[in-house]
Amino acid sequence: MKILVVDDEKMLVKGIKFNLENEGYQVDACYDGATAVEMARTGAYDLLILDLMMPGLDGLSACQQIRMFSTVPIIILTAKGDDSDKLLGFESGADDYILKPFNILELKARVRALLRRSSITAAQADQAAQTAREEPGKLTRGAITLDQARRVALKDGASIDLTVKEYDLLELFMKKPGQVFSREQLLNLVWGYDYQGDIRTVDVHIRRLREKLEANPAEPEYILTKWGVGYYFVD
């Protein structure tokens, strides 16, 4: 597994790189956002660890640019702990968020969790069936199909680029169509019981998922809102 660590604190980068390499990962490093974008574009990384506060192109902007061409899992590192800052990170496409100073054991655990659940993007996806049915390794609801073995999502046979958490949310919804999930339940089931982030993270990811799935995100056909309760996938 290949990881890119990006932070302008070179001693911190050195420590993270040392610890991750001891875990068996291949680790590259850089120290500014612009370089991170170019390395992410050409380096075929499995995961990025990205600091927010950097000279030149900051981490948020770098994350946004990377999301224009890649769904690679991204962990944000920052000393900013306000909920608004966390939401900005998720809005920009981050999958996880760790506050400085952090325990290296926590970082390694987050890295393992994201890599374990990361999507494998297929160069070409087979044409999926259009009727609602479940096949071995595939889950289809209407025009949307999940190839669960490869963690690939398709709509009308065309691949949809989803981040790790977007895929996990969609898979949960499609496995239990019609079931309404509260935001708290989604946080527990998708992010994990130890997640300490803002509950509005769920709303951000639902909106991004709708933008990728729905013909008109303002009038969704697949992921609907049960006002005052939560979200559900149309049965």
Side-chain angles (χ1 to χ4, degrees):
M1 291 288 186
K2 192 175 179 182
I3 298 173
L4 175 62
V5 180
V6 188
D7 197 310
D8 61 335
E9 297 181 51
K10 294 187 178 182
M11 289 303 296
L12 177 63
V13 170
K14 183 178 180 180
I16 294 174
K17 188 173 188 293
F18 174 80
N19 278 276
L20 291 180
E21 286 177 339
N22 281 346
E23 294 290 315
Y25 301 114
Q26 179 182 345
V27 183
D28 290 340
C30 66
Y31 310 102
D32 64 87
T35 304
V37 173
E38 291 310 308
M39 292 182 70
R41 193 187 304 275
T42 59
Y45 293 100
D46 298 290
L47 184 140
L48 306 184
I49 299 174
L50 183 64
D51 183 45
L52 283 189
M53 303 299 292
M54 291 184 291
L57 189 70
D58 63 32
L60 283 179
S61 300
C63 188
Q64 291 168 352
Q65 291 189 25
I66 292 167
R67 278 291 172 254
M68 295 177 68
F69 59 83
S70 175
T71 59
V72 62
I74 297 176
I75 297 176
I76 290 289
L77 298 180
T78 183
K80 291 186 172 183
D82 292 342
D83 289 340
S84 59
D85 294 313
K86 293 180 182 180
L87 287 176
L88 279 175
F90 289 121
E91 288 271 11
S92 299
D95 296 283
D96 207 346
Y97 197 105
I98 297 181
L99 289 177
K100 295 179 179 180
F102 56 85
N103 187 314
I104 192 63
L105 296 178
E106 178 187 4
L107 177 61
K108 290 193 288 188
R110 302 284 188 95
V111 167
R112 285 194 299 269
L114 270 181
L115 287 174
R116 186 170 58 246
R117 302 170 71 178
S118 63
S119 57
I120 303 171
T121 305
Q124 295 292 333
D126 297 332
Q127 178 70 30
Q130 302 301 307
T131 55
R133 69 181 185 276
E134 293 188 35
E135 301 174 1
K138 290 188 178 181
L139 179 61
T140 300
R141 305 291 182 203
I144 300 176
T145 294
L146 296 184
D147 184 333
Q148 295 171 290
R150 295 185 295 169
R151 288 178 61 87
V152 173
L154 306 98
K155 182 179 180 184
D156 293 322
S159 178
I160 309 169
D161 290 331
L162 300 180
T163 66
V164 174
K165 290 296 188 292
E166 289 167 358
Y167 180 93
D168 290 343
L169 276 171
L170 182 57
E171 183 178 52
L172 176 63
F173 282 131
M174 290 180 63
K175 282 182 175 179
K176 298 185 178 181
Q179 179 173 333
V180 180
F181 293 92
S182 69
R183 291 170 178 83
E184 291 83 359
Q185 287 175 316
L186 293 173
L187 278 178
N188 288 335
L189 292 170
V190 176
W191 278 264
Y193 287 97
D194 59 347
Y195 179 72
Q196 300 297 318
D198 192 287
I199 196 169
R200 290 172 295 176
T201 298
V202 173
D203 299 327
V204 172
H205 282 76
I206 293 293
R207 188 180 72 250
R208 282 167 39 193
L209 195 52
R210 283 171 171 167
E211 289 171 353
K212 296 180 179 182
L213 296 180
E214 308 285 359
N216 181 3
E219 298 179 2
E221 301 175 20
Y222 297 102
I223 300 176
L224 304 187
T225 301
K226 185 76 169 180
W227 295 107
V229 182
Y231 299 100
Y232 66 100
F233 194 92
V234 171
D235 189 355

